[in-house]
Amino acid sequence: PLFPEARRAIEDTWGVPVGNWWGSSEGGAMAMPCDLARTHLSDDLLMIEAVDESRRPVPTGERSAKILLTNLYNTTLPLLRYEITDEVTILDERCPCGSAFRLIGDIQGRLDDTFVYDGRPINAHVFRSPLSRRSEIVEYQVRQTHRGVAIQVRCTGRVDTEALANELAAALAALGLDEPEVTISMVD
């Protein structure tokens, strides 16, 4: 996924708008940016249905749990309502560029990356964003625990693991996890 902080950093560094492509081996280029860096679905090549966990359609503007993909061009491997667990938001607006293809927001990642606590899904972005903002962290592993997460980090410099743990615990609490426990350990 193209995280908001990565988009801002790239745009600030290069001084240009960043377009986001979305593709898969099953669907090819499923969405691509226009000249205004807005992301359009490839509605001429694919049918993409945004659905919830039970495969029911989600309203426009609401993030899906997955999509159902039907390719309209691949006669070698035709796919009908093939399930991909990418979380997508189809937008209810027209693009000023003039394209008739539907717009989507940035892809949020795969549902497979989601932790579930008492039926409440927590997207991995909660962990990825704070961990990736610290340039000293070069690798990490996040494991779900009963009441939070255990994280191992490999670093090239000093990281305030207590502040990071507090930031992540606050983010989990804001998403409804009661008294989350976050542990962070340094590994070689």
Side-chain angles (χ1 to χ4, degrees):
L2 176 62
F3 300 118
E5 59 272 10
R7 180 190 294 273
R8 280 191 301 276
I10 296 166
E11 288 179 344
D12 290 348
T13 300
W14 296 101
V16 295
V18 173
N20 197 5
W21 286 72
W22 176 41
S24 72
S25 56
E26 302 88 359
M30 299 191 315
M32 59 201 72
C34 65
D35 290 343
L36 302 176
R38 303 290 307 273
T39 309
H40 293 267
L41 289 173
S42 300
D43 287 325
D44 56 341
L45 301 174
L46 311 162
M47 290 176 49
I48 293 178
E49 303 169 68
V51 296
D52 65 14
E53 295 86 0
S54 300
R55 297 174 66 116
R56 292 182 304 245
V58 298
T60 303
E62 185 177 309
R63 186 176 356 175
S64 69
K66 51 190 162 188
I67 65 156
L68 303 178
L69 167 71
T70 300
N71 64 33
L72 303 174
Y73 67 93
N74 190 342
T75 57
T76 305
L77 180 63
L79 298 174
L80 301 173
R81 304 189 85 210
Y82 181 79
E83 184 176 295
I84 299 176
T85 60
D86 287 350
E87 296 177 287
V88 175
T89 303
I90 297 177
L91 304 176
D92 187 22
E93 59 187 273
R94 302 294 286 187
C95 185
C97 78
S99 173
F101 295 149
R102 294 177 294 166
L103 287 171
I104 59 171
D106 283 332
I107 306 304
Q108 298 300 304
R110 291 261 158 113
L111 185 63
D112 300 348
D113 296 338
T114 302
F115 290 175
V116 178
Y117 298 92
D118 296 324
R120 180 179 290 114
I122 305 289
N123 192 289
H125 293 302
V126 171
F127 313 111
R128 284 187 195 131
S129 293
L131 289 162
S132 66
R133 280 195 300 267
R134 287 157 173 86
S135 61
E136 301 83 14
I137 297 176
V138 293
E139 287 184 293
Y140 61 86
Q141 180 181 47
V142 181
R143 287 178 298 185
Q144 182 174 354
T145 63
H146 180 67
R147 298 194 40 158
V149 291
I151 302 173
Q152 294 181 320
V153 294
R154 188 173 72 80
C155 304
T156 58
R158 187 183 176 292
V159 173
D160 185 346
T161 56
E162 184 177 342
L164 178 57
N166 290 336
E167 178 184 345
L168 292 169
L172 290 170
L175 292 170
L177 191 58
D178 192 33
E179 298 181 29
E181 296 174 356
V182 177
T183 61
I184 300 177
S185 58
M186 308 285 272
V187 296
D188 291 332

